[in-house]
Amino acid sequence: GAAWRSPKGRDLEKMAAMIANVKALGLETCATLGMLSPDQAQTLQAAGLDYYNHNLDTSPAHYAQVVTTRSYQDRLDTLSAVRQAGIKVCCGGIIGLGEQQADRASLIAELVKLQPESVPINSLVPVPGTVLASSAPVDPLDFVRVIAICRITMPRARIRLSAGRQQLGEAIQGLCFLAGANSIFYGDKLLVTGNPEAEADLQLLRKLGLRSRQTQEEGAAPAANAAQGCGCGCTCG
């Protein structure tokens, strides 16, 4: 991941080398680098990139209330370039940006048009000093409903519980899995927000009777490192 508006040529050269080296280890690769041109997407594909993450964040109508550095169409153009390059799409949104229920429905409708292979659903983590620091928390059951609707409308996608899982707590995370979530980001940190402790995640999976994809493939019980994997490969079922 990189905090660029879009990568420059020298940035892309370094990223391509990094992707190729990670692929050489036998791992899947996922990058989030900001806006891409078609040529840049082709460069990343040639390096072996499997997934590109570029979230829509919210509905087209609410977007301007949250983001001013790029347009909604800019995001759609990047996703189009990624898809045309033959890279799998990782695209979702953030719940809790002050949007209405209709905005959440509109966001999901946009995602359905894209049919991403991976759909991360984030719960806003208010950060002191930012414009959204005082945002009202989302009703937990409304968040679960978003997960359920994503599962119904995008049955082939990996619906991912992403940022904000720590604040949701075990019970709501459990409901999200029952509603159709089948993937999590696993590890110490997700960009700028914390993730639950790895052992806490494994304990939750055990409580819910879930196994990581790795343990399913091996036919073994969950182990201490069972859920570890790459950005888009840490899945539970």
Short mmCIF file of all heavy atoms in Angstrom, two decimals, residues 141-169:
data_model
loop_
_atom_site.label_atom_id
_atom_site.label_comp_id
_atom_site.label_asym_id
_atom_site.label_seq_id
_atom_site.Cartn_x
_atom_site.Cartn_y
_atom_site.Cartn_z
N LEU A 141 -26.31 -3.41 13.80
CA LEU A 141 -27.15 -4.27 12.97
C LEU A 141 -27.28 -3.73 11.55
O LEU A 141 -27.44 -4.51 10.61
CB LEU A 141 -28.53 -4.44 13.62
CG LEU A 141 -28.55 -5.22 14.94
CD1 LEU A 141 -29.97 -5.35 15.46
CD2 LEU A 141 -27.91 -6.59 14.78
N ASP A 142 -27.19 -2.42 11.39
CA ASP A 142 -27.16 -1.85 10.04
C ASP A 142 -25.90 -2.30 9.30
O ASP A 142 -25.93 -2.57 8.09
CB ASP A 142 -27.22 -0.33 10.09
CG ASP A 142 -28.62 0.20 10.36
OD1 ASP A 142 -29.58 -0.59 10.20
OD2 ASP A 142 -28.75 1.38 10.73
N PHE A 143 -24.79 -2.37 10.03
CA PHE A 143 -23.55 -2.84 9.42
C PHE A 143 -23.70 -4.30 8.98
O PHE A 143 -23.28 -4.68 7.89
CB PHE A 143 -22.39 -2.71 10.41
CG PHE A 143 -21.05 -3.00 9.80
CD1 PHE A 143 -20.34 -2.03 9.12
CD2 PHE A 143 -20.50 -4.27 9.89
CE1 PHE A 143 -19.11 -2.31 8.55
CE2 PHE A 143 -19.27 -4.56 9.32
CZ PHE A 143 -18.57 -3.58 8.65
N VAL A 144 -24.32 -5.11 9.82
CA VAL A 144 -24.54 -6.52 9.49
C VAL A 144 -25.42 -6.62 8.24
O VAL A 144 -25.19 -7.46 7.36
CB VAL A 144 -25.18 -7.27 10.66
CG1 VAL A 144 -25.53 -8.71 10.26
CG2 VAL A 144 -24.24 -7.29 11.86
N ARG A 145 -26.43 -5.76 8.14
CA ARG A 145 -27.31 -5.77 6.96
C ARG A 145 -26.53 -5.47 5.68
O ARG A 145 -26.81 -6.05 4.63
CB ARG A 145 -28.45 -4.76 7.14
CG ARG A 145 -29.47 -5.16 8.20
CD ARG A 145 -30.64 -4.19 8.23
NE ARG A 145 -31.60 -4.57 9.25
CZ ARG A 145 -31.66 -4.03 10.46
NH1 ARG A 145 -30.83 -3.04 10.79
NH2 ARG A 145 -32.56 -4.44 11.34
N VAL A 146 -25.57 -4.55 5.75
CA VAL A 146 -24.75 -4.25 4.58
C VAL A 146 -23.99 -5.51 4.14
O VAL A 146 -23.93 -5.83 2.94
CB VAL A 146 -23.77 -3.10 4.89
CG1 VAL A 146 -22.75 -2.95 3.76
CG2 VAL A 146 -24.52 -1.79 5.08
N ILE A 147 -23.42 -6.21 5.10
CA ILE A 147 -22.71 -7.46 4.78
C ILE A 147 -23.66 -8.45 4.10
O ILE A 147 -23.32 -9.07 3.08
CB ILE A 147 -22.12 -8.09 6.06
CG1 ILE A 147 -21.06 -7.17 6.70
CG2 ILE A 147 -21.54 -9.47 5.77
CD1 ILE A 147 -19.81 -7.01 5.88
N ALA A 148 -24.86 -8.60 4.66
CA ALA A 148 -25.82 -9.56 4.12
C ALA A 148 -26.21 -9.20 2.68
O ALA A 148 -26.30 -10.08 1.81
CB ALA A 148 -27.06 -9.61 5.01
N ILE A 149 -26.44 -7.92 2.43
CA ILE A 149 -26.86 -7.50 1.08
C ILE A 149 -25.71 -7.68 0.09
O ILE A 149 -25.92 -8.08 -1.06
CB ILE A 149 -27.36 -6.05 1.11
CG1 ILE A 149 -28.62 -5.95 1.97
CG2 ILE A 149 -27.67 -5.56 -0.30
CD1 ILE A 149 -29.05 -4.53 2.28
N CYS A 150 -24.48 -7.42 0.54
CA CYS A 150 -23.33 -7.67 -0.34
C CYS A 150 -23.24 -9.15 -0.69
O CYS A 150 -22.97 -9.50 -1.85
CB CYS A 150 -22.04 -7.21 0.34
SG CYS A 150 -21.83 -5.41 0.40
N ARG A 151 -23.47 -10.01 0.27
CA ARG A 151 -23.40 -11.45 0.00
C ARG A 151 -24.49 -11.88 -0.99
O ARG A 151 -24.24 -12.64 -1.92
CB ARG A 151 -23.54 -12.23 1.31
CG ARG A 151 -23.77 -13.74 1.19
CD ARG A 151 -22.75 -14.42 0.27
NE ARG A 151 -21.40 -14.30 0.78
CZ ARG A 151 -20.33 -14.10 0.02
NH1 ARG A 151 -20.47 -13.98 -1.30
NH2 ARG A 151 -19.13 -14.02 0.54
N ILE A 152 -25.70 -11.35 -0.82
CA ILE A 152 -26.80 -11.72 -1.72
C ILE A 152 -26.56 -11.21 -3.13
O ILE A 152 -26.80 -11.91 -4.11
CB ILE A 152 -28.13 -11.15 -1.17
CG1 ILE A 152 -28.51 -11.89 0.14
CG2 ILE A 152 -29.26 -11.30 -2.19
CD1 ILE A 152 -29.63 -11.21 0.90
N THR A 153 -26.07 -9.99 -3.24
CA THR A 153 -25.95 -9.36 -4.57
C THR A 153 -24.64 -9.70 -5.27
O THR A 153 -24.53 -9.53 -6.49
CB THR A 153 -26.06 -7.83 -4.45
OG1 THR A 153 -25.07 -7.34 -3.53
CG2 THR A 153 -27.44 -7.42 -3.97
N MET A 154 -23.63 -10.17 -4.51
CA MET A 154 -22.34 -10.54 -5.11
C MET A 154 -21.93 -11.92 -4.59
O MET A 154 -20.97 -12.05 -3.82
CB MET A 154 -21.28 -9.47 -4.78
CG MET A 154 -21.55 -8.13 -5.47
SD MET A 154 -20.46 -6.80 -4.94
CE MET A 154 -21.27 -6.30 -3.40
N PRO A 155 -22.67 -12.95 -4.98
CA PRO A 155 -22.49 -14.28 -4.38
C PRO A 155 -21.13 -14.90 -4.62
O PRO A 155 -20.72 -15.79 -3.86
CB PRO A 155 -23.60 -15.10 -5.05
CG PRO A 155 -23.93 -14.39 -6.32
CD PRO A 155 -23.74 -12.94 -6.01
N ARG A 156 -20.40 -14.49 -5.65
CA ARG A 156 -19.11 -15.10 -5.95
C ARG A 156 -17.93 -14.35 -5.33
O ARG A 156 -16.79 -14.81 -5.40
CB ARG A 156 -18.91 -15.19 -7.47
CG ARG A 156 -19.98 -16.01 -8.18
CD ARG A 156 -19.78 -16.00 -9.68
NE ARG A 156 -18.56 -16.71 -10.06
CZ ARG A 156 -18.51 -18.02 -10.28
NH1 ARG A 156 -19.60 -18.76 -10.15
NH2 ARG A 156 -17.37 -18.60 -10.62
N ALA A 157 -18.20 -13.19 -4.73
CA ALA A 157 -17.12 -12.36 -4.17
C ALA A 157 -16.73 -12.82 -2.78
O ALA A 157 -17.51 -13.45 -2.06
CB ALA A 157 -17.56 -10.90 -4.13
N ARG A 158 -15.50 -12.47 -2.40
CA ARG A 158 -15.10 -12.63 -1.00
C ARG A 158 -15.49 -11.34 -0.28
O ARG A 158 -14.95 -10.28 -0.54
CB ARG A 158 -13.59 -12.86 -0.90
CG ARG A 158 -13.16 -14.18 -1.53
CD ARG A 158 -11.84 -14.67 -0.97
NE ARG A 158 -11.43 -15.91 -1.61
CZ ARG A 158 -11.89 -17.12 -1.28
NH1 ARG A 158 -12.81 -17.24 -0.33
NH2 ARG A 158 -11.46 -18.19 -1.91
N ILE A 159 -16.45 -11.46 0.60
CA ILE A 159 -16.92 -10.30 1.37
C ILE A 159 -16.04 -10.20 2.60
O ILE A 159 -16.04 -11.08 3.46
CB ILE A 159 -18.40 -10.44 1.75
CG1 ILE A 159 -19.25 -10.74 0.51
CG2 ILE A 159 -18.88 -9.18 2.45
CD1 ILE A 159 -19.19 -9.70 -0.58
N ARG A 160 -15.33 -9.09 2.70
CA ARG A 160 -14.28 -8.98 3.71
C ARG A 160 -14.65 -8.03 4.84
O ARG A 160 -15.03 -6.89 4.59
CB ARG A 160 -13.00 -8.47 3.04
CG ARG A 160 -12.64 -9.21 1.78
CD ARG A 160 -11.24 -8.86 1.37
NE ARG A 160 -10.36 -9.00 2.51
CZ ARG A 160 -9.21 -9.69 2.50
NH1 ARG A 160 -8.82 -10.28 1.42
NH2 ARG A 160 -8.48 -9.76 3.57
N LEU A 161 -14.51 -8.50 6.07
CA LEU A 161 -14.57 -7.60 7.23
C LEU A 161 -13.23 -6.90 7.29
O LEU A 161 -12.19 -7.54 7.47
CB LEU A 161 -14.81 -8.39 8.51
CG LEU A 161 -16.21 -8.95 8.73
CD1 LEU A 161 -16.28 -9.65 10.08
CD2 LEU A 161 -17.24 -7.85 8.67
N SER A 162 -13.24 -5.59 7.15
CA SER A 162 -11.98 -4.85 7.03
C SER A 162 -11.79 -3.93 8.24
O SER A 162 -11.96 -4.35 9.37
CB SER A 162 -11.99 -4.09 5.70
OG SER A 162 -10.73 -3.55 5.44
N ALA A 163 -11.44 -2.68 8.01
CA ALA A 163 -11.15 -1.75 9.11
C ALA A 163 -12.34 -1.60 10.04
O ALA A 163 -13.49 -1.65 9.62
CB ALA A 163 -10.75 -0.39 8.54
N GLY A 164 -12.04 -1.40 11.32
CA GLY A 164 -13.09 -1.21 12.31
C GLY A 164 -13.55 -2.48 13.00
O GLY A 164 -14.45 -2.43 13.84
N ARG A 165 -12.95 -3.62 12.66
CA ARG A 165 -13.39 -4.87 13.30
C ARG A 165 -13.19 -4.84 14.81
O ARG A 165 -14.00 -5.38 15.56
CB ARG A 165 -12.60 -6.07 12.73
CG ARG A 165 -13.08 -6.56 11.40
CD ARG A 165 -12.63 -7.98 11.13
NE ARG A 165 -11.21 -8.16 11.17
CZ ARG A 165 -10.57 -9.00 11.98
NH1 ARG A 165 -11.24 -9.73 12.87
NH2 ARG A 165 -9.26 -9.14 11.94
N GLN A 166 -12.11 -4.21 15.25
CA GLN A 166 -11.84 -4.15 16.68
C GLN A 166 -12.99 -3.50 17.43
O GLN A 166 -13.36 -3.92 18.53
CB GLN A 166 -10.55 -3.37 16.93
CG GLN A 166 -9.37 -4.26 17.27
CD GLN A 166 -8.13 -3.44 17.57
OE1 GLN A 166 -7.90 -2.41 16.94
NE2 GLN A 166 -7.32 -3.89 18.49
N GLN A 167 -13.55 -2.44 16.83
CA GLN A 167 -14.62 -1.71 17.51
C GLN A 167 -15.95 -2.46 17.45
O GLN A 167 -16.84 -2.22 18.27
CB GLN A 167 -14.79 -0.33 16.86
CG GLN A 167 -13.67 0.67 17.17
CD GLN A 167 -12.36 0.34 16.50
OE1 GLN A 167 -12.34 -0.22 15.40
NE2 GLN A 167 -11.26 0.66 17.14
N LEU A 168 -16.11 -3.37 16.50
CA LEU A 168 -17.37 -4.10 16.38
C LEU A 168 -17.57 -5.10 17.51
O LEU A 168 -18.70 -5.35 17.94
CB LEU A 168 -17.43 -4.84 15.03
CG LEU A 168 -17.53 -3.98 13.78
CD1 LEU A 168 -17.46 -4.85 12.53
CD2 LEU A 168 -18.81 -3.15 13.78
N GLY A 169 -16.50 -5.71 17.98
CA GLY A 169 -16.62 -6.71 19.03
C GLY A 169 -16.95 -8.08 18.47
O GLY A 169 -17.32 -8.24 17.31
#
